[in-house]
Amino acid sequence: MSEVAIQRLINKLHALVGPAGLLTDAQAQAPYLTDWLGKWKGATPVVVRPANTAETAAVVKLCSETHTPIVTQGGNTGMSGGATPDASGAQVVLSTTRMNRVRAIDPINNTLTVDAGVILAHAHDAARSVDRFFPLSLGAQGSCTVGGNVATNAGGIAVLRYGNTRDLVLGLEVVLPDGRIWHGLRGLRKDNTGYDLKGLFIGSEGTLGVITGVVLKLFAQPTAHATAWVGAESLDKLVDLLSLMRTRCGERLTAFEMMTAASLQLVLDQVADTRAPLAQAAPFNALIELSDTDDEAGLRDLLEESLGESMETGLTHDVMLSSSQAQTMALWKLREGISQAQVRAGKAIKHDIALPISSLASFAAQAEQDVLACMPDARIVNFGHLGDGNLHYNVLMPPDADYDALKQRTHELNGVVHQLVTDYGGSISAEHGVGQLRRDELRIYKSPVEMELMLRIKQAMDPNHLMNPGKLL
Amino acid sequence: MSEVAIQRLINKLHALVGPAGLLTDAQAQAPYLTDWLGKWKGATPVVVRPANTAETAAVVKLCSETHTPIVTQGGNTGMSGGATPDASGAQVVLSTTRMNRVRAIDPINNTLTVDAGVILAHAHDAARSVDRFFPLSLGAQGSCTVGGNVATNAGGIAVLRYGNTRDLVLGLEVVLPDGRIWHGLRGLRKDNTGYDLKGLFIGSEGTLGVITGVVLKLFAQPTAHATAWVGAESLDKLVDLLSLMRTRCGERLTAFEMMTAASLQLVLDQVADTRAPLAQAAPFNALIELSDTDDEAGLRDLLEESLGESMETGLTHDVMLSSSQAQTMALWKLREGISQAQVRAGKAIKHDIALPISSLASFAAQAEQDVLACMPDARIVNFGHLGDGNLHYNVLMPPDADYDALKQRTHELNGVVHQLVTDYGGSISAEHGVGQLRRDELRIYKSPVEMELMLRIKQAMDPNHLMNPGKLL
């Protein structure tokens, strides 16, 4: 883009969004040009921050007319580089963060309507203010936006009971690639009047349009919680325990998080104020949570009975029931400390994979063999949302590994792990999306038919390929 | 289509599916050429009944090459004429009913994989055989197929807790309009690797491809049920009761079905062996069901307490708790008897609508005024799935009305009801789909932007417009 063309674009954008809606200064732009991990870096002629849907529509229309590519960005907390512009300097960054109004709360219809730029934690607060519950929960909830959650179909720790973001959205408002607005902000539980447009935009990572408004589903506020930590001899036994807990506790089962002994030890080694929850280390651990709208004593009894049964039948060899809020927080700290512990422990090659739950144990056994054959001095840090079949299957490089070695081995190890995932009918990106990170791999592991269908849809919806080019497809 | 062309097509199809896969005899074809209500009638050169996915793919490929339109049909229980060919005699009917294998049951992964032609009730049986539960439940379950349920995104009586068919499908196998197969039979809870192709086929009514296989989600088998009938003075109060029940009972609330006094009276008048559940008739009634994996006594206590609270706060003025399986069945007979009662009572103009739950009462009050202004001697039969905001809002014509009058008034009355639905942000087809019934109305009540997006997707996926032409779009 020539200097003259850039200045002309900025002048036109200025007329649409005013000075508060533009960032042209390099220092002000900087946070928008890299992801929070600092893994990707890009450039932009201008960061545009429209104040509302009408301004967004005007900006997108101008970009369409001037053939300017758009990278939409919410809280910029993504894991796959989906919101970072490329290095060309030709892609405008459209930040939704000024659009942060709660538009409507309807506790009778159990819906919450928000601007796309509302922070997830603020959506939680809004629901709580009318004694309702919005269940989407993830580490970045203090800074990620609802629009970003929708665009990436965010997962997190409540999927087992409440589903992914896809399952929590009733309606969308979207600015289309030509600047027109699709008004799909419906708050309906049933609507069979044509193709699922909403579902197409969810998880499309900004490649089909700019999401500006969302209708979210609300739920009854759980009033009772019960938490336990269990140790088991094998992943097989933990999977059987998951089945037992589902059969006994039904929808009360809210979390079933798995950590291998090595994952737990990493946290104990690296994170301050942590201690082992069981007297004797177990090869596999699970953090289990029940929640309910009923009284807590009954829920604790149910958890105790179910886990008692698991001890008797040999599914678990040790169980620790949390008896206080402080103890529960300490258990969650072990689970949530893994990310930090990994960063401290060195360089890791990470995989966010999903498998049929019935294949998890056999996959993990085979993957360990294959990974160690490829890199004998690696440490495998395997943990994740067992109830969703979602493993964060990470491989810690030897302490002396440098960045060149990491880069070189990443490609090789991704091939080993992702081919095995595909052989087991799994997904190479369970909840982190594709972005730039997995874009090239998608072509390897998706069938040509599926790739073609996705490209045809992209062509139909964004014929000029101006929405987040270089991502996903 | 000329006689020669038809004979050539039949010969080629014969080579693909053999004699058992073809129906050319007029008498054998007859049941496939009209819907079960006898509302639509069509013609076909041949009914093809492939035995498996490979045969289906070969048939679709041949139809693509010969520019032959295809109408896919499952159990032929649809409400909107979506599976009936037109009168041209050019459209081949592709029946999935010979594809009726249960392919796999995985109680650990909680998935059931079936051919599209498996009868819904057989899917229930398969789930039950491994102590699991498949919740989709509707009147036609003894004859409708899972493929048809998916193609129409079927709703029914368990949506409040378990969602629509869309929420119950993890994977699909689809023969595309050119005869290639999309192998999307995944059994994963999380998969963020691109556009939601599965969601696009669900509810697309056979206009984008032929669904041949489905992976369904299974759930824990509920072991306890508790049922009650309540009477309330207004729809507003019933809506508030729904909120109360959700807050108190959470996910246990499985059904919340509404019947007006007129709807109940119609059943009592027309259906044998029915009697009023409450001593005094109430303007509005609800059939409420809780279910759980826990013990039944606790569940009954919870229902009793919650409804006791509703009596104290004046939300209900009478409550009847079912104390036996026979009593529960008698209550459900009242709800399920409405269809039959309406048929006996005369001609009706029917609407299957959804509204935000918070708007139901105000909509119903306004609709009654508008409908009676248009047709003063009509009887309004309003009932439905209150928990989903889904009303079956039917208008019984005067007993002396003839078919010409019915036809003439239908158009007018649809306009009155559906315009009001649209004004309230509702849907003109909550669970019955579009088919032929609502196709022309879709253009009136959907925005041009939304219609255009749907047409672009149709064009991208089925460029020759051979899949179920004349339906939905």
Side-chain angles (χ1 to χ4, degrees), chain A residues 106-110 131-132 152-156 159 161-162 164 166-167 176 178 180-183 186-197 199-201 203-205 207-208 219-220 239-240 243 246-252 292-294 302 354-358 385 387-388 390 425-434 442 446-447 449-450 452-454 456-458 460-461 463 472-473, chain B residues 106-110 131-132 152-156 159 161-162 164 166-167 176 178 180-183 186-197 199-201 203-205 207-208 219-220 239-240 243 246-252 292-294 302 354-358 385 387-388 390 425-434 442 446-447 449-450 452-454 456-458 460-461 463 472-473:
Chain A
D106 184 342
I108 300 291
N109 195 40
N110 275 316
D131 195 29
R132 292 292 182 274
T152 59
N153 185 30
V159 174
R161 169 138 164 204
Y162 296 99
N164 296 286
R166 181 179 299 290
D167 304 297
L176 302 173
D178 61 8
R180 289 183 301 171
I181 301 167
W182 173 50
H183 296 282
R186 295 169 195 135
L188 304 173
R189 258 70 188 179
K190 285 181 174 173
D191 181 17
N192 274 346
T193 56
Y195 301 150
D196 182 24
L197 296 178
L200 206 49
F201 290 108
S204 67
E205 303 187 8
T207 64
L208 300 178
F219 294 81
V239 166
D240 285 347
S243 274
R246 275 196 160 129
T247 303
R248 289 291 308 265
C249 310
E251 315 289 304
R252 292 172 187 84
D292 200 346
T293 50
D294 214 5
L302 179 64
L355 293 140
I357 292 166
S358 44
H385 316 289
D388 314 323
N390 180 189
S427 167
I428 66 162
S429 187
E431 56 179 9
H432 293 171
V434 178
L442 217 57
K446 288 257 177 204
S447 70
V449 168
E450 186 156 348
E452 185 191 315
L453 290 178
M454 293 207 281
R456 281 204 223 168
I457 288 166
K458 169 73 173 175
M461 305 287 280
L472 206 166
L473 283 172
Chain B
D106 184 342
I108 299 290
N109 196 40
N110 274 317
D131 194 29
R132 292 292 181 274
T152 59
N153 185 29
V159 174
R161 170 140 165 204
Y162 295 98
N164 296 286
R166 180 177 301 289
D167 304 295
L176 302 173
D178 61 8
R180 289 183 301 171
I181 301 168
W182 173 50
H183 295 283
R186 296 168 195 134
L188 304 173
R189 258 68 188 180
K190 285 181 173 172
D191 181 17
N192 274 346
T193 56
Y195 301 150
D196 182 26
L197 296 177
L200 206 50
F201 289 109
S204 66
E205 303 187 8
T207 64
L208 299 179
F219 295 81
V239 166
D240 285 346
S243 274
R246 275 195 159 130
T247 303
R248 291 290 309 266
C249 309
E251 315 289 304
R252 292 172 187 83
D292 200 346
T293 50
D294 214 6
L302 179 64
L355 293 140
I357 292 166
S358 44
H385 316 290
D388 314 322
N390 179 189
S427 167
I428 66 162
S429 185
E431 55 178 11
H432 292 171
V434 177
L442 216 58
K446 288 259 179 205
S447 70
V449 168
E450 187 158 346
E452 185 191 316
L453 290 179
M454 293 206 282
R456 281 204 222 166
I457 289 166
K458 169 73 172 176
M461 305 286 281
L472 206 166
L473 284 172

Side-chain angles (χ1 to χ4, degrees), chain A residues 102 104-107 110-114 118 120-136 216-221:
Chain A
V102 170
I105 315 180
D106 184 342
N110 275 316
T111 46
L112 171 64
T113 307
V114 297
V118 163
L120 175 54
H122 296 166
H124 294 158
D125 296 343
R128 203 178 300 115
S129 75
V130 294
D131 195 29
R132 292 292 182 274
F133 179 58
F134 181 61
L136 183 67
L216 299 169
K217 263 191 215 176
L218 301 182
F219 294 81
Q221 185 83 46

